[in-house]
Amino acid sequence: IGYANQLNMPIPKLIIAGAYDEAVPHDVSLRAFQQSKKADTNSKLITLTHSAHMGMLEEPNQTLQGIHSFINQ
């Protein structure tokens, strides 16, 4: 299954993006979220405002809170 097909699968997806990510720029993450939201309205985008590509290390508490929130929705 290709990347685009995964976004179209009708399952909730959590996309965690770093505002300063140069490897996957935020606008790319936003477009992926918008596409996945069409397939499942429970998909969620979390933007880590002080992170680049390693948000789980740069903002671990915010990352964990976002994951918990997504799982518990």
Side-chain angles (χ1 to χ4, degrees):
I1 297 176
Y3 170 73
N5 289 333
Q6 290 176 2
L7 291 174
N8 292 322
M9 294 175 70
I11 57 171
K13 290 165 234 42
L14 174 61
I15 298 173
I16 301 176
Y20 299 102
D21 193 339
E22 293 181 9
V24 182
H26 191 266
D27 63 314
V28 173
S29 297
L30 181 59
R31 284 195 308 270
F33 167 70
Q34 290 167 337
Q35 184 176 346
S36 68
K37 190 81 169 168
K38 291 177 188 175
D40 190 300
T41 58
N42 291 317
S43 292
K44 185 174 182 178
L45 171 67
I46 296 171
T47 300
L48 301 174
T49 57
H50 303 290
S51 295
H53 193 67
M54 299 295 286
M56 67 294 240
L57 299 177
E58 297 164 322
E59 293 183 72
N61 292 334
Q62 293 81 352
T63 301
L64 189 56
Q65 287 174 354
I67 292 169
H68 280 278
S69 172
F70 178 73
I71 290 170
N72 293 320
Q73 71 179 1

